[in-house]
Amino acid sequence: MVLIQMRLREVDRLLEEASSSNRRVLTEYESKKIFKEIGIPVTREILAETIEEAISAGDKIGYPLVLKISSPHVSHKSDFGGVYLGIRDEEELKAACENLRRQADRQGIEYSFLVQEMAKPGQELLVGSKRDPTFGPVLIFGLGGIFTEILDDISIRLSPVDRQEASAMLREIRGRRLLDGYRGLPPVDLDAVVDVILRVSDLMESYDSITELDINPLFGYEDGVLAVDGLIVL
Ligand code: ADP
Ligand code: MG
């Protein structure tokens, strides 16, 4: 994909930054910077080191917003108690930052504050990839949440895929009707989801150092998609 070729330099830099400091797991912030470089839409967000910085980040992003822990030691942020959704104003942001600080200090870990746009509700999807030692990158699509974790409702392909194969992945899951819109919810922009799968496939093909990639969730809308969380493992 021409788009990606033009932007590889910045992806190189981001990956190099992590590996030179001996980190295998990139933070959400770093992972989504890479997604953005390859043309996958991501939430607006600012990384802050202090509560004061977090509050001025909040002014720039606007309310309601989301506060998350950003730390190389925490990859499941909710399990850690590190995700605060629907923060309505500065006062709530300050309180959330203080809670987060208390929690992180108790565990004695390094961390920053990730201040992020609150995404409007969409269909929660998952796009991911794992590099198999024999077969190379395997691409995964699903509905995320319980559909993936409990019902194991995912579709899988070996990378690289073309547009046709990527669309077939969307139609193969048992919960596919949720993509067509139901009970008043609008249908999901399938072309935009296919586009994300193609870009992930390209990235995995171009970068051997990436062993695992997750966009969970990707919010699907009537018009476009938005990566709300991201994880890249080297
Ligand atoms: P975890 O590291 O636990 O997977 P996530 O960043 O995925 O953390 O956040 C947990 C959940 O919170 C997501 O699955 C999503 O439902 C919701 N969420 C996270 N970020 C946002 C956001 N910016 N806007 C709206 N909902 C969000
Ligand atoms: Mg997540």
Side-chain angles (χ1 to χ4, degrees):
M1 217 180 275
V2 184
L3 240 176
I4 292 182
Q5 295 303 335
M6 288 186 341
R7 295 177 178 178
L8 284 176
R9 224 179 289 266
E10 178 64 6
V11 175
D12 281 335
R13 196 190 63 74
L14 289 161
L15 292 176
E16 180 53 37
E17 206 174 83
S19 61
S20 68
S21 51
N22 267 322
R23 285 184 296 117
R24 280 190 54 237
V25 182
L26 276 66
T27 61
E28 169 180 347
Y29 181 70
E30 293 170 320
S31 306
K32 281 155 87 185
K33 265 191 179 173
I34 291 177
F35 297 160
K36 192 175 178 186
E37 284 302 319
I38 62 165
I40 297 173
V42 302
T43 47
R44 274 184 302 130
E45 56 199 40
I46 295 174
L47 198 61
E49 296 307 326
T50 63
I51 295 183
E52 293 67 37
E53 272 176 44
I55 285 165
S56 77
D59 288 338
K60 292 195 188 101
I61 301 231
Y63 294 87
L65 54 74
V66 174
L67 175 73
K68 295 181 187 176
I69 186 164
S70 177
S71 169
H73 309 289
V74 180
S75 39
H76 298 287
K77 299 171 298 287
S78 311
D79 295 349
F80 181 87
V83 178
Y84 294 83
L85 301 174
I87 294 174
R88 283 171 300 183
D89 54 34
E90 188 173 317
E91 196 182 327
E92 285 188 11
L93 178 58
K94 189 156 182 267
C97 285
E98 281 163 357
N99 282 335
L100 207 155
R101 179 172 64 187
R102 213 171 300 125
Q103 172 86 345
D105 287 348
R106 201 181 299 137
Q107 314 241 354
I109 58 166
E110 283 170 60
Y111 68 97
S112 309
F113 301 101
L114 182 61
V115 179
Q116 182 173 96
E117 146 196 16
M118 176 81 188
K120 64 179 165 44
Q123 177 64 54
E124 295 210 12
L125 309 170
L126 170 150
V127 174
S129 182
K130 272 198 171 65
R131 192 176 301 277
D132 181 273
T134 309
F135 300 110
V138 177
L139 300 167
I140 301 154
F141 169 77
L143 292 169
I146 59 158
F147 291 96
T148 313
E149 284 155 28
I150 297 169
L151 303 173
D152 217 14
D153 187 14
I154 54 173
S155 56
I156 292 179
R157 281 290 186 291
L158 288 182
S159 176
V161 290
D162 58 18
R163 191 160 284 279
Q164 217 173 347
E165 272 184 283
S167 340
M169 288 178 81
L170 307 195
R171 289 192 304 270
E172 268 169 29
I173 54 166
R174 278 174 277 141
R176 63 187 158 272
R177 280 188 55 209
L178 292 178
L179 300 172
D180 302 332
Y182 76 112
R183 297 209 178 150
L185 279 179
V188 172
D189 184 343
L190 300 182
D191 286 340
V193 181
V194 165
D195 202 68
V196 170
I197 295 174
L198 292 175
R199 284 167 199 266
V200 166
S201 174
D202 269 359
L203 184 71
M204 295 301 289
E205 291 297 323
S206 310
Y207 285 91
D208 287 346
S209 61
I210 302 178
T211 57
E212 202 177 320
L213 179 157
D214 254 304
I215 309 176
N216 185 13
L218 176 77
F219 276 15
Y221 299 111
E222 195 167 10
D223 184 12
V225 291
L226 188 64
V228 159
D229 186 19
L231 180 68
I232 287 179
V233 181
L234 303 179

